[in-house]
Amino acid sequence: MKNQFSVLKSGVQEPFFLPGYPDYPVYIHIPDSYSPDKETPLFFFMHGGDKNTPPEAPFKMYLEPEKGYLAPLIKDAPFVTVAPCAPFAKDGKRWNYPGSVEYIDAVLAAVKERINVDEERIIFGGHSMGGFGAYHNGTLMADRFSCMLLSAGAWLETDFKAFLGTPVYILHGKYDCAANYKEFHVEPRHHDWCSVDFARAAHELMVRDGVTHVYDEHDGGHGLRWEPAQMAFFRFVDYAMQCKRDPYPVRCAVISPAGSADPTLTEHRESRYLRIDSVRQGNVELDKIVLHGPNIAWSVKEFCQQSYTLTTVSYEGAKLIAENKGGNRFEIRSENVTGFTLFLSSAMADVNSEIKLLVNDREFNLLPTAVSGKKDYTHQVNIVLDDLN
């Protein structure tokens, strides 16, 4: 829509505040290449810190031209960057608490009113505390974004199959917990804060589950000011600019509840072309990381003693995983699901012909019905049975 958006001077704009969030400034960085007449990619960045990090941290820590850690990395980037203040909370998991998805949605809506955003190229991610939030909210919102950045973050219990269909970039410093990388803290980084073991474990699980991702373990510490971290970030930018949101991936999953379980999980019933309509009572397994060794490494020896193992934990919930096999055939695996909807478009199948579904090894042949008001999809098929599992 030509001339709908104002001409903005490049650089960091004056912060604005959303209705209902009067204490949370939202900062936007405009690159030199931005034109209001042309759609531009957007990078939604969640900042780091802890419960005491002040509201202006997105600017002072990251976007401030002279001192911000992110400033030199996005100065010439081909995207607009939005960096809102994290919601206040009782600890350093401020992006993980209930209400974070609604807040992120509100920020995105406000940015789209001001900036000509390419909605198929919205990059989502964060660093440190924001990395915690990326692990958490990424599994809840993956279908909305072109790719994810999980930088120097952490997770506790999750199922990374929720990322299926959205490329993930894991960026973490090998020496995040090393004694000589204390940065602002009087002691080395804690193993349970943001150890590289979280990234290594996520990489291991994503390989196992076939989640498209890049694992970039650089030779720096925790912060983005280290040269190895900056080099890795530039690699991420190159990768992200090749990505576009895919509403029709071959594989798609709904995990409910979902998130990082640190501090909480969230009910989640829909992603892309899958929707869980009804469930039965029962448990599903999530992957859990277990850390070993000293939590604070005061020496190289203690740092080398830090490690992890993987196990599982059960929660009451449901899972639905689909694969488009081609030729109007879909294979569905479900746990505790008694009813679901598969949405369709001509990009996925011949919507005028029968759809063959293999649901937990049982075959169903259904003719799609038209659906309106559903972005990306024109038809649907519904399964409602009590004995799917």
Side-chain angles (χ1 to χ4, degrees):
M1 297 183 181
K2 194 172 183 179
N3 299 327
Q4 178 184 358
F5 302 96
S6 301
V7 175
L8 298 173
K9 185 179 179 180
S10 62
V12 183
Q13 310 302 295
E14 285 295 319
F16 65 89
F17 296 82
L18 303 176
Y21 303 96
D23 300 317
Y24 303 154
V26 179
Y27 297 88
I28 296 178
H29 175 270
I30 303 294
D32 291 338
S33 59
Y34 175 72
S35 169
D37 296 332
K38 182 180 179 181
E39 291 184 343
T40 187
L42 178 71
F43 178 33
F44 189 106
F45 177 76
M46 292 177 285
H47 69 88
D50 55 29
K51 66 179 181 180
N52 298 316
T53 300
E56 62 273 14
F59 175 73
K60 289 191 174 181
M61 291 176 62
Y62 293 94
L63 299 183
E64 204 259 331
E66 299 300 323
K67 299 179 181 179
Y69 300 142
L70 203 62
L73 308 181
I74 62 171
K75 182 177 181 296
D76 300 315
F79 48 68
V80 169
T81 300
V82 56
C85 169
F88 299 135
K90 63 182 180 180
D91 57 27
K93 307 296 194 303
R94 288 165 53 177
W95 292 104
N96 292 50
Y97 278 89
S100 58
V101 169
E102 291 77 9
Y103 174 57
I104 291 167
D105 276 339
V107 172
L108 284 170
V111 172
K112 291 174 186 177
E113 291 177 354
R114 294 164 168 79
I115 305 295
N116 193 355
V117 174
D118 183 346
E119 298 199 30
E120 304 306 305
R121 298 184 185 275
I122 301 178
I123 307 156
F124 182 78
H127 177 78
S128 190
M129 180 176 72
F132 302 169
Y135 276 107
H136 178 72
N137 293 303
T139 55
L140 300 170
M141 308 175 73
D143 58 335
R144 309 182 197 183
F145 302 114
S146 59
C147 73
M148 299 279 175
L149 172 65
L150 313 179
S151 177
W155 59 279
L156 182 63
E157 299 161 0
T158 194
D159 187 335
F160 289 121
K161 288 191 290 295
F163 281 125
L164 285 172
T166 302
V168 175
Y169 201 101
I170 303 173
L171 188 155
H172 214 116
K174 182 184 299 182
Y175 303 107
D176 198 304
C177 291
N180 289 332
Y181 286 81
K182 291 184 291 188
E183 299 185 69
F184 302 114
H185 297 272
V186 296
E187 59 193 26
R189 307 294 300 181
H190 291 212
H191 196 203
D192 62 356
W193 282 355
C194 37
S195 163
V196 70
D197 284 331
F198 291 109
R200 290 172 178 173
H203 171 53
E204 179 180 340
L205 292 170
M206 290 184 194
V207 169
R208 182 198 69 185
D209 292 332
V211 176
T212 300
H213 71 289
V214 171
Y215 182 67
D216 195 334
E217 182 178 311
H218 60 78
D219 289 330
H222 180 73
L224 288 173
R225 71 182 178 90
W226 302 99
E227 187 177 63
Q230 294 184 356
M231 294 168 65
F233 190 89
F234 283 126
R235 291 192 291 269
F236 157 70
V237 171
D238 289 341
Y239 179 80
M241 296 317 299
Q242 302 175 47
C243 298
K244 184 178 180 180
R245 188 182 76 92
D246 183 4
Y248 317 116
V250 171
R251 298 174 68 215
C252 176
V254 180
I255 312 296
S256 185
S260 71
D262 193 5
T264 188
L265 293 164
T266 301
E267 286 295 320
H268 185 58
R269 294 293 182 92
E270 186 170 357
S271 181
R272 291 188 176 85
Y273 53 81
L274 291 178
R275 185 180 69 201
I276 296 175
D277 296 322
S278 58
V279 301
R280 69 180 184 185
Q281 189 172 6
N283 287 349
V284 294
E285 285 191 344
L286 300 181
D287 293 299
K288 178 181 177 67
I289 185 172
V290 180
L291 300 176
H292 304 288
N295 193 39
I296 303 176
W298 294 102
S299 67
V300 172
K301 181 178 179 180
E302 289 179 331
F303 175 67
C304 292
Q305 289 171 342
Q306 294 177 341
S307 63
Y308 76 92
T309 55
L310 289 169
T311 184
T312 58
V313 62
S314 293
Y315 283 94
E316 184 174 337
K319 294 186 181 185
L320 189 63
I321 303 168
E323 181 174 355
N324 186 345
K325 308 293 284 189
N328 276 31
R329 297 178 300 117
F330 291 81
E331 183 173 324
I332 311 290
R333 307 301 300 182
S334 71
E335 298 178 42
N336 303 327
V337 176
T338 58
F340 70 88
T341 299
L342 172 69
F343 296 99
L344 299 162
S345 84
S346 57
M348 301 166 62
D350 179 358
V351 295
N352 298 309
S353 302
E354 277 192 338
I355 302 296
K356 179 181 292 185
L357 284 83
L358 191 64
V359 184
N360 292 349
D361 300 322
R362 294 182 57 193
E363 190 171 301
F364 302 85
N365 294 286
L366 300 169
L367 191 64
T369 59
V371 60
S372 60
K374 181 70 175 173
K375 181 181 179 181
D376 302 313
Y377 310 105
T378 59
H379 289 72
Q380 66 182 40
V381 293
N382 301 88
I383 294 277
V384 181
L385 288 174
D386 292 330
D387 57 351
L388 285 175
N389 304 283

